[in-house]
Amino acid sequence: MERVPVLKIGDILLVSIQIDMEDQVALQLQEDLAERIVATGVHGVIIDISALDIVDSFVGRTLATIAAVSRVLDAETVVVGMRPAVAITLVELGLSLPGIRTALNVELGIALLGKRDVGDEPADDEDEDDPAAVTTS
Amino acid sequence: MERVPVLKIGDILLVSIQIDMEDQVALQLQEDLAERIVATGVHGVIIDISALDIVDSFVGRTLATIAAVSRVLDAETVVVGMRPAVAITLVELGLSLPGIRTALNVELGIALLGKRDVGDEPADDEDEDDPAAVTTS
């Protein structure tokens, strides 16, 4: 059976999805990821979907499940590399990937995860707009 | 056509090969990688083959070509994640992947690349045999 590899890079697990997410592959990935999160104690998961032309409702649900499981295990999930056409299709399908954060590429995803204070503080809710962005002169 | 995504992480390009390396896929990957190396100016390429059950002579040659092209573009290639069975098969086939460095996983590959002095010092002149290094005066 085909299997999506889970790569550990620092405090992050990186998954690059390139094969069709059939049921067994998706289930195996969920299991592998959960096991690796527990084994490595990372706090971030990045899922790259830049190779995917299509994200249907099954893949959308799989991503949501992975994010939910990761959250329970104290790791945050960021989906990166979504193609514009995929984003349009997702919205048209009514799938807005609730609970999943996105970034344009892996580096921005890592930066997004880095903003979270890992370990010490609970991540509170003041992310959205950044009052500190006022220009200092 | 299927395409292997090239992910940029810091000073490294990461490629996780999960699909069958047919001719077109391999050629496309070589082109994509060369273009990304030039566009991003990275000094390291990591190719993860942990998803591959089989590395035949074609894949071996592809990896060697990628490493050679990268080297010409001032980037070093490390192949990571090779399964034990694949290593045995490679040696039995007489393919020892000359010119390719290997590491057990992505993190060790990054560490291996990090040992190289990137950026400041010109890495020229004392490469073993380089008659072209004679200064023009």
Side-chain angles (χ1 to χ4, degrees):
Chain A
M1 191 190 69
E2 285 181 316
R3 199 162 176 157
V4 180
V6 178
L7 309 175
K8 179 171 181 292
I9 302 174
D11 192 38
I12 286 168
L13 294 180
L14 174 66
V15 178
S16 174
I17 298 178
Q18 298 167 28
I19 58 178
D20 286 341
M21 289 291 273
E22 288 153 20
D23 292 27
Q24 277 306 311
V25 176
L27 281 176
Q28 186 69 51
L29 176 58
Q30 285 174 24
E31 272 180 36
D32 287 348
L33 255 179
E35 273 171 26
R36 288 293 295 277
I37 291 172
V38 172
T40 59
V42 301
H43 290 89
V45 174
I46 292 185
I47 302 178
D48 172 69
I49 59 170
S50 59
L52 297 186
D53 289 318
I54 299 168
V55 173
D56 57 16
S57 60
F58 175 71
V59 174
R61 272 202 308 278
T62 301
L63 294 176
T65 307
I66 287 174
V69 171
S70 302
R71 199 173 302 119
V72 174
L73 295 172
D74 193 25
E76 193 162 355
T77 302
V78 179
V79 171
V80 307
M82 189 184 297
R83 299 189 187 183
V86 168
I88 293 169
T89 310
L90 274 180
V91 172
E92 284 175 353
L93 285 174
L95 300 168
S96 55
L97 301 184
I100 299 181
R101 303 177 78 175
T102 54
L104 287 186
N105 58 45
V106 174
E107 285 194 311
L108 293 174
I110 292 175
L112 189 63
L113 289 172
K115 280 187 194 153
R116 182 190 181 205
D117 278 339
V118 178
D120 308 318
E121 310 190 31
D124 347 73
D125 306 330
E126 38 189 341
D127 314 357
E128 288 103 273
D129 12 31
D130 189 5
V134 178
T135 52
T136 59
S137 56
Chain B
M1 193 189 70
E2 286 182 315
R3 200 163 176 157
V4 181
V6 179
L7 308 176
K8 178 171 181 294
I9 301 174
D11 191 39
I12 285 169
L13 294 180
L14 175 65
V15 178
S16 175
I17 298 178
Q18 298 167 28
I19 58 178
D20 285 341
M21 288 292 271
E22 289 153 20
D23 293 26
Q24 278 306 311
V25 175
L27 282 176
Q28 186 69 51
L29 175 59
Q30 284 175 24
E31 273 180 36
D32 287 350
L33 254 180
E35 275 171 24
R36 289 294 294 278
I37 291 172
V38 172
T40 59
V42 301
H43 290 90
V45 175
I46 292 184
I47 302 178
D48 171 70
I49 59 170
S50 59
L52 297 186
D53 288 319
I54 300 167
V55 172
D56 57 15
S57 60
F58 175 71
V59 174
R61 272 202 308 280
T62 302
L63 293 176
T65 307
I66 286 174
V69 171
S70 303
R71 199 174 302 119
V72 175
L73 295 172
D74 194 24
E76 195 162 354
T77 303
V78 179
V79 171
V80 306
M82 189 184 297
R83 300 188 186 184
V86 168
I88 292 169
T89 310
L90 273 179
V91 172
E92 284 176 353
L93 285 174
L95 301 168
S96 56
L97 301 184
I100 299 181
R101 303 176 78 175
T102 55
L104 287 186
N105 58 43
V106 175
E107 285 194 310
L108 293 174
I110 292 174
L112 189 63
L113 289 172
K115 280 187 196 155
R116 184 190 179 204
D117 278 340
V118 178
D120 306 320
E121 312 194 26
D124 37 12
D125 300 350
E126 39 193 337
D127 304 347
E128 302 93 285
D129 30 9
D130 190 3
V134 178
T135 52
T136 60
S137 58

